Amino acid sequence: MLERVRIVLVNTSLPANIGAAARAMKTMGLAQMVLVAPKIFPSPEADTLSSGATDILAQARVVSSLDEAIAGCRLVIGTSARSRHIPWPLLNPRAAAAQAWAELPVGEVALVFGREDRGLTNDELHKCHYHVHIPTNPDFSSLNLAAAVQVLAYEMRMRSLEDDQVEAPFWGVDWDIDAAPAEDIERLFVHLEQVLVKVDFLDPENPRQLMTRLRRLFLRSRLDTVELNVLRGFLTAIEKSSKQ
Amino acid sequence: MLERVRIVLVNTSLPANIGAAARAMKTMGLAQMVLVAPKIFPSPEADTLSSGATDILAQARVVSSLDEAIAGCRLVIGTSARSRHIPWPLLNPRAAAAQAWAELPVGEVALVFGREDRGLTNDELHKCHYHVHIPTNPDFSSLNLAAAVQVLAYEMRMRSLEDDQVEAPFWGVDWDIDAAPAEDIERLFVHLEQVLVKVDFLDPENPRQLMTRLRRLFLRSRLDTVELNVLRGFLTAIEKSSKQ
């Protein structure tokens, strides 16, 4: 289904960005690239930056106008900076992916990306059903073109996987006692390992996965500082009582 | 709050990736970069690729071990390919951002990224409370390091904005009639403009925002093919009846 999404890049200047966009697409399972009057294409630099996604570049369609690029599409979503002269239906990337996903069973969808320096023109934006705005830092909105493709492609993939998503439970966050810092937890593991060896439970010659399993257990439990002190005290008590 | 997130890059080989990661961070409002034994840093290439996010590079901490990088953090999340010898609590990027966001009011959070070629070692992964897996295409999981930083930083930013998010309504997707394709809608607008001029409603010398507003109206309504034919018929009828 993700292969029905067209990524349309308008008047891209840098071949590196075309290559990096192809790589971003392929990592997320997208396949269709359409280039509207790219400055340079094909190019060895695009091939290099695609990092092996050369099939996407080889199959990319080059057209001379946005109209050609979006012909046959029933939903066209254009990337946009936030403020425009006339407001347009504006989605965040997640909502845009949801709209696109809902459309894919019945038709093709275009996600349109503008020039590195100036984005899409108003005329181009006005060919879009929706605009999508990646919510950048207002003080630094200089998102790389391939990074923008990565974010939208990622949201498409996340939407495609939504039924598989399982929210993880929260541990320890609403605790009344501070969570133990990483370095204290590391000291606990060092101490724990010494004690395990000392009591002959852990064979340093053949440790198997014992420490790994214990790490997973304690890290997963999100130890707080009091619990950590209790465990450290316990280990010290074991050492003192050990015959070795 | 996002400034309390530490982005930790372990043994990065390419200065370009450090620069592009700084850019990705800053676009999303993140500020703290920690570099564990980078191959080359600082470097002019990192500065160039940061595209102006040089403040992040200037403030980046360089340390010699992951332990130093995560000291003081109470939640450590490491990026990981999916399958590991022993399963670990594994989150997708969205759930990881939710965990991190819940932790930030009370402590610092580290998001840890591994080497370009081999990711994080098992020892490094075993210092993490959770692993996060960006759900790449199983056939092409070659995600660029800065792209991975971009995705996680984007999810952090989205989480920070969650209260502002408004889901857009769905139009036309469950319709029983096919949505009109983009090229037919363009023809409608050409026709409409001719008729607007013909009936003296649109002055070609002074068009103002009239077509823009009409485009927005019709695109927003997600015209289906029957509606489009009705409108075209209407325009033709107007032309026929016009005295001009």
Side-chain angles (χ1 to χ4, degrees):
Chain A
M1 200 76 105
L2 291 174
E3 299 191 346
R4 299 180 76 165
V5 178
R6 283 186 212 175
I7 297 293
V8 178
L9 306 184
V10 178
N11 288 173
T12 310
S13 293
L14 301 176
N17 284 336
I18 296 175
R23 179 179 183 178
M25 287 170 60
K26 191 162 182 178
T27 59
M28 296 294 132
L30 276 60
Q32 281 195 64
M33 175 182 266
V34 184
L35 302 169
V36 179
K39 195 166 173 189
I40 303 168
F41 186 83
S43 84
E45 201 180 354
D47 288 349
T48 301
L49 267 287
S50 78
S51 192
T54 45
D55 52 333
I56 291 191
L57 296 174
Q59 290 158 26
R61 272 202 303 134
V62 178
V63 299
S64 57
S65 71
L66 179 56
D67 286 307
E68 282 178 80
I70 63 176
C73 284
R74 305 197 321 176
L75 178 61
V76 180
I77 302 179
T79 52
S80 171
R82 192 180 294 277
S83 65
R84 290 282 162 180
H85 196 60
I86 290 201
W88 208 265
L90 183 69
L91 305 173
N92 68 37
R94 192 158 305 156
Q99 289 279 0
W101 185 251
E103 189 78 20
L104 286 175
V106 289
E108 296 206 17
V109 172
L111 302 178
V112 185
F113 298 80
R115 296 148 195 87
E116 285 95 337
D117 53 348
R118 293 177 295 119
L120 295 168
T121 65
N122 280 336
D123 278 355
E124 288 160 352
L125 283 167
H126 294 165
K127 292 181 189 294
C128 299
H129 297 96
Y130 299 110
H131 297 163
V132 56
H133 176 68
I134 298 174
T136 46
N137 178 356
D139 300 327
F140 186 83
S141 57
S142 163
L143 196 66
N144 169 258
L145 173 60
V149 171
Q150 184 74 66
V151 166
L152 269 291
Y154 160 77
E155 281 287 7
M156 286 304 309
R157 186 164 191 82
M158 284 293 278
R159 186 64 190 77
S160 76
L161 299 171
E162 200 158 85
D163 294 341
D164 300 339
Q165 286 179 28
V166 177
E167 287 292 311
F170 277 66
W171 288 292
V173 161
D174 290 330
W175 240 243
D176 56 347
I177 296 166
D178 266 5
E183 65 269 45
D184 290 355
I185 293 179
E186 279 307 306
R187 283 186 208 110
L188 171 69
F189 289 135
V190 170
H191 194 179
L192 177 60
E193 188 163 16
Q194 290 166 352
V195 172
L196 290 168
V197 171
K198 186 161 189 175
V199 301
D200 274 337
F201 188 69
L202 176 63
D203 179 0
E205 303 302 314
N206 180 26
R208 288 167 302 156
Q209 297 291 340
L210 187 58
M211 279 309 299
T212 301
R213 291 180 184 281
L214 289 166
R215 280 185 165 272
R216 180 172 62 172
L217 166 66
F218 286 114
L219 287 170
R220 192 174 70 234
S221 69
R222 306 294 314 276
L223 291 172
D224 70 30
T225 54
V226 171
E227 292 163 340
L228 187 123
N229 288 336
V230 167
L231 291 172
R232 290 296 297 270
F234 181 46
L235 292 174
T236 303
I238 296 168
E239 287 177 307
K240 283 184 183 164
S241 73
S242 169
K243 284 183 233 167
Q244 307 298 318
Chain B
M1 202 73 104
L2 291 174
E3 300 190 347
R4 299 180 76 167
V5 178
R6 283 187 210 173
I7 297 293
V8 179
L9 307 184
V10 178
N11 288 172
T12 310
S13 294
L14 300 176
N17 284 336
I18 296 174
R23 179 180 183 177
M25 287 170 59
K26 190 163 184 179
T27 59
M28 296 295 132
L30 275 61
Q32 277 196 65
M33 175 182 266
V34 184
L35 302 170
V36 179
K39 193 164 174 189
I40 304 169
F41 185 83
S43 83
E45 200 180 355
D47 289 349
T48 301
L49 268 287
S50 79
S51 192
T54 44
D55 53 334
I56 291 189
L57 296 175
Q59 291 158 26
R61 269 202 305 136
V62 178
V63 297
S64 59
S65 71
L66 178 57
D67 286 305
E68 283 178 78
I70 63 177
C73 284
R74 304 196 323 176
L75 179 61
V76 180
I77 302 178
T79 52
S80 169
R82 192 179 293 276
S83 64
R84 291 279 161 183
H85 195 59
I86 291 204
W88 207 264
L90 183 68
L91 305 172
N92 69 37
R94 190 160 305 155
Q99 291 279 2
W101 185 251
E103 189 78 18
L104 286 176
V106 289
E108 297 207 14
V109 173
L111 302 178
V112 185
F113 298 80
R115 298 148 193 86
E116 285 96 335
D117 52 347
R118 293 177 294 119
L120 295 168
T121 65
N122 280 337
D123 277 354
E124 288 160 351
L125 283 165
H126 293 164
K127 293 180 188 293
C128 300
H129 297 96
Y130 299 110
H131 298 164
V132 56
H133 175 69
I134 299 175
T136 46
N137 178 355
D139 299 329
F140 186 84
S141 58
S142 162
L143 196 64
N144 169 260
L145 173 61
V149 171
Q150 183 74 65
V151 166
L152 270 291
Y154 159 77
E155 281 288 8
M156 286 305 309
R157 185 165 191 82
M158 285 295 277
R159 187 62 192 76
S160 77
L161 299 172
E162 199 160 84
D163 294 341
D164 300 340
Q165 284 178 29
V166 178
E167 287 292 312
F170 278 66
W171 288 292
V173 161
D174 290 332
W175 241 243
D176 56 349
I177 295 165
D178 265 5
E183 63 269 43
D184 289 354
I185 293 180
E186 279 306 307
R187 284 185 206 110
L188 170 69
F189 289 135
V190 171
H191 194 178
L192 177 61
E193 188 162 16
Q194 290 166 353
V195 171
L196 289 168
V197 171
K198 185 163 191 174
V199 300
D200 275 337
F201 187 69
L202 176 64
D203 179 358
E205 304 300 317
N206 179 26
R208 291 167 300 157
Q209 297 289 344
L210 188 58
M211 280 309 298
T212 301
R213 290 181 184 281
L214 289 167
R215 276 184 168 276
R216 180 172 60 173
L217 166 67
F218 287 114
L219 287 172
R220 192 175 67 235
S221 68
R222 307 292 316 275
L223 292 172
D224 69 30
T225 54
V226 171
E227 293 162 340
L228 188 125
N229 288 337
V230 168
L231 291 171
R232 290 297 297 270
F234 181 44
L235 293 173
T236 302
I238 297 168
E239 287 178 309
K240 282 184 183 162
S241 72
S242 169
K243 285 183 231 166
Q244 307 299 316

